[in-house]
């Protein structure tokens, strides 16, 4: 399988060994429970209005420190302003302005996604992102993913 190359901005993320292990443990648990071909965890940077990846199950492609800066207004309203998790259950939703690098996602056969919001006392911290084949996720999948997202609050609030 040939995956299209993409460029993204990058920032160094100073993760402690404990924080890295906690992120990996939660990612492994949610992946086993809900399912995912790609799992990432993103930290919201309110000053720049973007997300930076702090964990990835495909670090050779979606590396830690990669920045998602082209976030669509609908997604920003849904996830950041209203603090509601986002479900993309088919390729049409993946091809929306909620996701960057749609050609890469398509090459990886990732046609469904969950962005489970991570919120601490009304403050949006980021998202637990699960991607899988079209039709893999439903509203019950989102609810299960949100239980794992809640477990990320302590770690993300220290970054």
């Amino acid at each position: 399988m040939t995956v299209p190359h993409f460029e993204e901005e990058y920032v160094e993320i100073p993760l402690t060994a404990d924080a890295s292990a906690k992120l990996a443990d939660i990612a492994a648990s949610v992946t086993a429970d809900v399912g995912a071909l790609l799992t990432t965890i993103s930290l919201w940077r309110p000053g720049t209005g973007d997300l930076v990846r702090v964990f990835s199950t495909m670090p050779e492609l979606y590396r830690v420190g990669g920045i998602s800066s082209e976030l669509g207004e609908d997604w920003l309203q849904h996830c950041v302003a209203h603090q509601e998790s986002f479900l993309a259950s088919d390729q049409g939703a993946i091809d929306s302005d909620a996701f960057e690098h749609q050609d890469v996602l398509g090459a990886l056969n990732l046609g469904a996604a969950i962005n489970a919001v991570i919120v601490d006392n009304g403050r949006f911290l980021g998202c637990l992102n699960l991607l899988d084949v079209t039709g893999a996720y439903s509203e019950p999948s989102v609810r299960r993913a949100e239980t794992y997202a809640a477990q990320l609050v302590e770690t993300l609030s220290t970054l």
Side-chain angles (χ1 to χ4, degrees), residues 50-65:
D50 58 24
L51 292 165
V52 62
R53 204 172 302 110
V54 296
F55 177 84
S56 174
T57 57
M58 290 185 187
E60 66 287 347
L61 185 60
Y62 286 101
R63 66 184 177 161
V64 170

Side-chain angles (χ1 to χ4, degrees), residues 7-19:
E7 296 289 328
E8 66 182 351
E9 291 183 54
Y10 172 83
V11 64
E12 198 66 37
I13 301 296
L15 291 171
T16 66
D18 286 346

Side-chain angles (χ1 to χ4, degrees), residues 11-69:
V11 64
E12 198 66 37
I13 301 296
L15 291 171
T16 66
D18 286 346
S20 292
K22 180 77 170 177
L23 296 175
D25 287 347
I26 294 169
S29 294
V30 71
T31 300
D33 180 14
V34 181
L37 295 173
L38 170 62
T39 302
T40 67
I41 300 168
S42 301
L43 176 68
W44 175 248
R45 299 190 312 167
T48 51
D50 58 24
L51 292 165
V52 62
R53 204 172 302 110
V54 296
F55 177 84
S56 174
T57 57
M58 290 185 187
E60 66 287 347
L61 185 60
Y62 286 101
R63 66 184 177 161
V64 170
I67 298 170
S68 294
S69 57

Side-chain angles (χ1 to χ4, degrees), residues 109-131:
N109 196 30
L110 301 174
I114 295 172
N115 301 138
V117 296
I118 304 163
V119 178
D120 182 28
N121 293 317
R123 184 171 61 110
F124 177 76
L125 296 178
C127 288
L128 168 61
N129 311 295
L130 306 174
L131 293 99

